[in-house]
Amino acid sequence: MACLHDHSCEDHDCSSDFSLYKHVDLSKVSALNEAVPGSVKTVFKAWEQRLNSSEGHLESNDGDPELLVFIPFTSDVKIKSIAVVGGADGTSPSKMRAFINREGIDFSDAQNMQPIQEWDLVENLQGVLEYQTKYSRFQGVGNLTLHFPENFGADATQIHYIGLKGEATQLKRDVVATIVYEVMPNPSDHKTKADNGGGLSQVE
Amino acid sequence: MVLEATMICIDNSEWMRNGDYSPTRFQAQTDAVNLICGAKTQSNPENTVGVMTMAGKGVRVLVTPTSDLGKILACMHGLEVGGECNLAAGIQVAQLALKHRQNKKQQQRIIVFVGSPVKYDKKVLEMIGRKLKKNSVALDIVNFGEEDEGKTEKLEALLAAVNNNDSSHIVHVPTGPNALSDVLISTPIFTGDGEGGSGFAAAAAAAAAGGVSGFDFGVDPNLDPELALALRVSMEEERARQEAAAKKAAEEAAKQEKGGEQQSTSQDATMTENVSAAAPEAENKTSDLMDDENALLQQALAMSMDGPAASLAVRDTDMSEAAADDQDLALALQLSVQDSTKDQGSETDMSKLLADQSFVSSILASLPGVDPNDPSVKDLLASMQSQPEASSDQKKDEDKAPNEEEKK
């Protein structure tokens, strides 16, 4: 589902809409199968800069057009739509599959798992196309993983810009690791370093 | 301090029974694995290490990535050697084990020990390498043991396919006296990618270097600093004393060589006798170390003069047991021994020569760095004086000849 802007972009400032890039935790953004490690960070920028590739772009390894981009956010966000600007000559991605709130997805996982939504992309060199999400599924997104399995026939896939439109809540979705609910305190659950070093601890 | 999950793939195939790495290839490998586990867990407490075998009944994961060093060391115990190594399956299983690591933030790394021949195609290995690179898994290869043709090539191709920004490495360990673990300590496998190394690795490297190259005094300063210090100080004192004695002996040798310039063989024989008299004297004064310096000094002086003086120095060298391993020296020695047995000159000739004050002082004056007015030199001369006086004729002859040489 693509949506073409029905207004000229000079009047309406689209940049304010694609503001979720500010909430992307850039230090933790990662990609798999990128040719230059760390180049994935250059695709998250302001909407006006979407065609400016002076700082580099994301490119996959030669001969392998698959790309996997992991995007963590600094707070939970609601994503309304996603815009992707690819490269010329068939290097644009042709499919996009999204997973939310799953860490550590690699290619075999991505290929086997059912995505939360997937889109067929078209070549979008000017960056005026955006792809709407099923909004109800994209509430409270702590991190987003985008999988681009194919492109338009080139050896490698290039992505110059990924834009995210939506709202940022101020909440942080933290996964609770382990919780111990106690009715009565159990000393073995509260071992200190001194206990481990030796000696018995007396608990009356 | 990179946060890393590592899987170590051990080669426990039949090829590991070989003893070209002491004690056996398998033992050397086990030691190396223990060291690596220690280094990884020390460099970052949250690092995890897992171990698996590639041969035996089949590819088997002994322990999944854990930070508990005891568990890892325990599972290394009681491993059996046998079967054939399955490199491709091993690497793939390692990748799977890493994929299911508990802490997804850790970087993935596989360390493979390849000791048996590689039966897989280069293409297959390259494909595996590409898959690893795609999933951003780094690979370290330790190539040791069997030297198959094509094995090195295949492993290098695998490394090239995996390598992403120099995070993967390959180390070739040839057979030799050095233990596998010692060789590995200095490689990036231990020290991490140019981070300067963990403290563990550095300490282990220091210990290994000490053991291998041999500290000067056979004592590791880390283990026993006081003993090492005491040994070093005493060595320096001894060296200073020997240098002083060497200087004296060198003066005598110089005089002997100047005397030896004369063409008569009898003189040579005499000199040999006197040199042999002087040499035991030298030996009595000093240890072998001094003899080395003495011999070197004489050889140097001999080089500046020529012919008989050189052979003289050579003989003297041999007498002082310093350079017995030189074949040329041995030959010259044989000749000189033959010569010396012909003539039995008077042993006192040399002492008579030295007894002549004027002669001695003239010699000393010609020597560089020797001040005839130096008290120690004067003492030496005085001791020479106590020896029996030579006949004046002999003295004069010998006197004239050295004087002529000095004028040269």
Side-chain angles (χ1 to χ4, degrees), chain B residues 316-330:
Chain B
D316 190 73
T317 309
D318 177 68
M319 296 296 178
S320 30
E321 301 164 21
D325 38 326
D326 192 344
Q327 285 179 1
D328 292 345
L329 235 54

Side-chain angles (χ1 to χ4, degrees), chain B residues 73-359:
Chain B
L73 296 178
C75 83
M76 297 288 302
H77 187 71
L79 275 181
E80 302 240 320
V81 177
E84 246 190 56
C85 173
N86 190 345
L87 185 63
I91 294 181
Q92 284 167 339
V93 170
Q95 194 185 349
L96 196 63
L98 283 173
K99 184 174 135 153
H100 293 288
R101 65 197 186 286
Q102 280 188 323
N103 183 356
K104 302 286 180 196
K105 293 201 173 72
Q106 289 167 330
Q107 301 282 326
Q108 301 171 71
R109 179 173 290 273
I110 301 178
I111 302 182
V112 169
F113 284 84
V114 188
S116 41
V118 176
K119 58 180 190 271
Y120 290 96
D121 271 347
K122 221 205 287 199
K123 287 250 183 323
V124 172
L125 292 177
E126 274 175 4
M127 227 163 52
I128 293 176
R130 271 196 292 267
K131 191 155 163 251
L132 288 175
K133 182 175 177 180
K134 193 166 163 181
N135 287 297
S136 90
V137 178
L139 178 68
D140 288 335
I141 307 174
V142 179
N143 177 14
F144 70 111
E146 288 302 307
E147 280 303 323
D148 209 9
E149 354 89 27
K151 179 187 182 195
T152 312
E153 233 187 280
K154 288 179 188 173
L155 293 177
E156 292 277 358
L158 173 60
L159 183 84
V162 175
N163 203 356
N164 186 3
N165 213 24
D166 275 339
S167 61
S168 303
H169 316 96
I170 183 169
V171 179
H172 304 276
V173 184
T175 56
N178 299 328
L180 187 62
S181 13
D182 292 339
V183 175
L184 285 179
I185 276 175
S186 54
T187 59
I189 293 180
F190 250 91
T191 59
D193 303 321
E195 292 162 358
S198 66
F200 181 95
V212 169
S213 65
F215 275 107
D216 293 334
F217 320 110
V219 173
D220 182 355
N222 292 335
L223 295 176
D224 200 346
E226 291 148 8
L227 181 57
L229 185 65
L231 283 170
R232 189 166 1 121
V233 168
S234 74
M235 193 65 176
E236 280 165 13
E237 282 176 24
E238 177 74 12
R239 210 170 273 158
R241 196 175 61 76
Q242 286 162 10
E243 271 165 24
K247 213 160 98 176
K248 286 185 193 166
E251 290 160 18
E252 289 175 40
K255 289 169 222 155
Q256 291 163 18
E257 282 161 9
K258 291 211 173 205
E261 275 294 316
Q262 296 168 20
Q263 297 305 312
S264 65
T265 52
S266 62
Q267 269 296 356
D268 276 352
T270 316
M271 289 307 144
T272 312
E273 290 295 330
N274 298 320
V275 163
S276 60
E281 206 175 279
E283 281 170 29
N284 293 340
K285 288 179 195 170
T286 67
S287 69
D288 280 6
L289 186 66
M290 204 295 291
D291 288 343
D292 276 340
E293 294 175 4
N294 190 14
L296 286 170
L297 269 163
Q298 288 169 5
Q299 275 181 340
L301 285 164
M303 307 265 202
S304 58
M305 305 168 194
D306 42 18
S311 57
L312 195 68
V314 161
R315 281 172 226 148
D316 190 73
T317 309
D318 177 68
M319 296 296 178
S320 30
E321 301 164 21
D325 38 326
D326 192 344
Q327 285 179 1
D328 292 345
L329 235 54
L331 192 60
L333 164 65
Q334 277 181 338
L335 292 169
S336 71
V337 166
Q338 287 166 8
D339 281 346
S340 63
T341 50
K342 289 178 200 161
D343 276 310
Q344 297 295 327
S346 146
E347 214 166 80
T348 55
D349 282 356
M350 195 49 188
S351 41
K352 289 170 198 163
L353 191 68
L354 289 176
D356 186 2
Q357 180 83 355
S358 60
F359 168 59

